[in-house]
């Protein structure tokens, strides 16, 4: 493995697989699941929640938990880490640090720090956390959109001081490698599947899961759907960045 791809490909290029062989008794498979960063962190800390199915994507096969053999397919459903800006060199120590975007406001990553960055005619950094008016310490009037990876010089309101603000180039994404018990699988290769009817076949106990053969139907990738969180164990969390 190259050092640059070590995090992403470590499992795939290891000579001896670090994971257990899937259990044939329950038709267990190793499958990928892609989700936004916060969802992956929540799932890895607890478990999948069927009631949230479809909140990040569609539900072609009903309200189930969706997985794929193809990491490319699962990558479609990932989301990058929150936009971040880094402040350093400010005379007010509380102004320094990392800020994450929440809607139209950048809040300090340290929850105990009230400092915030907001736009009100121009960009302002407020140590008190107020997000309107003239209660702020630093300002930036040159552009509405922050340039990625390039430091901006922000001036204090009195013009006597400055600080450096840099927007992150981070595009960190997250995938889960899961053990999924498929049991008795309902195969489907309909071009326009009836998700409600297919899901009912599983929920009424005739099958344990669905395999949607989109590879055969439209030339993309096969999808695997279960309807119980108990059928899934998120074994590995993989963080990576896309390279174009």
């Amino acid at each position: 493995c190259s050092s640059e791809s070590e995090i992403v490909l470590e499992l795939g290029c290891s000579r001896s697989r670090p994971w257990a062989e899937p259990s044939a008794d329950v038709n267990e498979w190793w499958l990928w699941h892609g989700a936004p960063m916060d969802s992956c962190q929540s799932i890895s800390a607890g478990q999948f929640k069927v009631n949230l199915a479809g909140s990040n994507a569609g539900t072609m096969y009903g309200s189930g938990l969706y997985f794929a053999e193809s990491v490319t397919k699962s990558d479609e459903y990932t989301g990058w880490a929150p936009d971040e800006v880094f402040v350093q060199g400010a005379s007010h120590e509380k102004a320094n640090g990392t800020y994450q975007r929440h809607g139209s406001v950048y809040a300090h990553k340290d929850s105990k720090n009230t400092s915030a960055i907001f736009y009100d005619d121009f960009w302002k950094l407020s140590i008190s956390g107020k997000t309107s008016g003239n209660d702020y310490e630093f300002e930036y009037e040159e552009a509405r959109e922050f340039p990625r990876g390039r430091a901006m010089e922000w001036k204090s309101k009195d013009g006597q001081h400055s600080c450096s603000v840099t927007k992150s180039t981070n595009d960190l994404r997250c995938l889960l490698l899961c053990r999924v018990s498929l049991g008795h699988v309902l195969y489907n290769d309909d071009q326009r599947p009836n998700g409600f009817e297919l899901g009912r076949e599983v929920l009424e106990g005739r099958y344990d899961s669905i395999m949607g053969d989109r590879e055969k139907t439209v030339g993309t990738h096969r999808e695997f759907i279960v309807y119980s969180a108990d059928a899934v164990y998120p074994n590995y969390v993989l963080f990576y960045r896309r390279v174009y």
Side-chain angles (χ1 to χ4, degrees):
C1 297
S2 68
S3 58
E4 291 184 355
S5 61
E6 185 175 7
I7 295 176
V8 183
L9 301 179
E10 181 180 4
L11 297 177
C13 62
S14 176
R15 291 183 180 178
S16 59
R17 293 187 176 184
W19 57 77
E21 289 298 323
S23 173
D25 294 343
V26 291
N27 193 18
E28 186 179 60
W29 287 43
W30 284 101
L31 297 170
W32 295 102
H33 180 81
M37 182 69 69
D38 55 349
S39 297
C40 277
Q41 292 173 329
S42 176
I43 292 167
S44 63
Q47 67 173 17
F48 284 89
K49 295 182 179 180
V50 178
N51 64 314
L52 296 179
S55 57
N56 181 49
T59 52
M60 180 176 288
Y61 296 97
S63 297
L65 305 172
Y66 288 65
F67 301 87
E69 303 160 292
S70 168
V71 70
T72 303
K73 175 63 178 178
S74 294
D75 171 74
E76 294 176 6
Y77 304 103
T78 61
W80 50 87
D83 273 345
E84 294 182 336
V85 295
F86 308 97
V87 179
Q88 57 185 354
S91 54
H92 298 271
E93 186 58 35
K94 285 187 67 177
N96 294 317
T98 302
Y99 293 73
Q100 290 185 334
R101 185 171 185 171
H102 301 275
S104 59
V105 175
Y106 286 85
H108 202 285
K109 196 171 184 179
D110 180 356
S111 59
K112 296 179 181 179
N113 191 328
T114 59
S115 300
I117 294 172
F118 64 98
Y119 188 88
D120 182 10
D121 296 329
F122 51 88
W123 286 105
K124 302 174 182 179
L125 190 160
S126 168
I127 292 176
S128 69
K130 292 186 178 179
T131 55
S132 63
N134 292 317
D135 186 2
Y136 66 92
E137 282 68 37
F138 293 89
E139 60 188 31
Y140 181 74
E141 301 185 17
E142 292 185 26
R144 176 70 185 262
E145 295 298 324
F146 293 157
R148 286 188 179 271
R150 182 169 62 82
M152 300 167 280
E153 184 182 18
W154 289 38
K155 295 288 188 181
S156 61
K157 191 162 56 173
D158 61 12
Q160 300 300 307
H161 304 280
S162 64
C163 63
S164 175
V165 180
T166 308
K167 186 170 185 178
S168 171
T169 58
N170 191 12
D171 187 24
L172 191 65
R173 294 171 183 266
C174 181
L175 284 168
L176 297 173
L177 182 58
C178 305
R179 298 176 69 154
V180 185
S181 298
L182 296 176
H184 188 200
V185 181
L186 172 59
Y187 175 85
N188 181 269
D189 60 358
D190 295 339
Q191 188 160 7
R192 295 185 178 180
N194 186 326
F196 176 80
E197 291 297 329
L198 291 168
R200 190 170 67 175
E201 290 281 308
V202 175
L203 294 173
E204 291 181 355
R206 289 185 283 276
Y207 296 90
D208 301 303
S209 64
I210 294 171
M211 194 269 272
D213 197 347
R214 307 301 290 170
E215 183 177 39
K216 175 183 176 182
T217 306
V218 293
T220 55
H221 305 283
R222 301 198 300 179
E223 298 185 56
F224 301 81
I225 306 93
V226 296
Y227 298 81
S228 170
D230 293 335
V232 185
Y233 182 77
N235 227 110
Y236 296 96
V237 184
L238 282 85
F239 298 95
Y240 68 101
R241 292 180 176 87
R242 290 177 177 175
V243 178
Y244 300 95

